[in-house]
Amino acid sequence: MAEDDLTYPVTKGCYIYYKKTVKGLQYSVHCRKRIVGDSSAKEEVLLDLNKFKEKHLNLGEFEVSPKQKLLAYTLDITGSEIYSLFVKHLEKRTTYLALKGIIKKVCLVK
């Protein structure tokens, strides 16, 4: 993906989900935008890996819950391919470490 580029948006419920790259930033930014009801809806940043302080980051799984209120993602911050599972409440904007030290990736049940 080139700098200042968007992936093809995926529709899920009343949102479109996509990731974008921004010139000068190392990692992609994962976003969504409401497409039902409010045509002037603003972009909502779900996960911006550029905000993390770790030098190495590898995003494994990334899945929004069926009701679109929770985001589950796995992250390797050491380069060892050992992931931690995080759950983010998208309305409250709070993130929780759910499971640490997963070998490889996990299968997130929808």
Side-chain angles (χ1 to χ4, degrees):
M1 192 177 342
E3 290 187 345
D4 291 332
D5 198 10
L6 296 174
T7 59
Y8 189 79
V10 175
T11 303
K12 183 175 183 180
C14 58
Y15 291 92
I16 57 168
Y17 292 85
Y18 55 94
K19 66 180 178 177
K20 65 181 182 178
T21 55
V22 178
K23 186 176 182 175
L25 297 180
Q26 182 175 359
Y27 299 105
S28 297
V29 179
H30 296 261
C31 306
R32 75 177 178 181
K33 194 179 243 189
R34 190 169 181 82
I35 57 172
V36 176
D38 185 5
S39 62
S40 64
K42 293 183 180 179
E43 176 180 84
E44 180 181 355
V45 175
L46 303 179
L47 182 63
D48 182 355
L49 296 177
N50 298 290
K51 303 275 184 185
F52 287 78
K53 295 176 183 171
E54 288 77 12
K55 291 182 180 179
H56 173 86
L57 288 173
N58 185 30
L59 180 64
E61 301 295 326
F62 180 94
E63 187 67 44
V64 177
S65 68
K67 292 185 179 181
Q68 301 178 69
K69 293 184 179 193
L70 300 173
L71 166 65
Y73 62 94
T74 58
L75 200 57
D76 169 15
I77 61 170
T78 63
S80 61
E81 295 187 10
I82 297 176
Y83 292 79
S84 295
L85 173 64
F86 295 88
V87 177
K88 181 176 184 178
H89 193 290
L90 296 175
E91 291 175 350
K92 295 179 182 177
R93 311 297 294 169
T94 53
T95 303
Y96 305 94
L97 173 61
L99 189 59
K100 190 173 183 177
I102 304 165
I103 303 299
K104 286 289 184 180
K105 298 181 184 179
V106 296
C107 178
L108 301 175
V109 179
K110 295 181 182 179

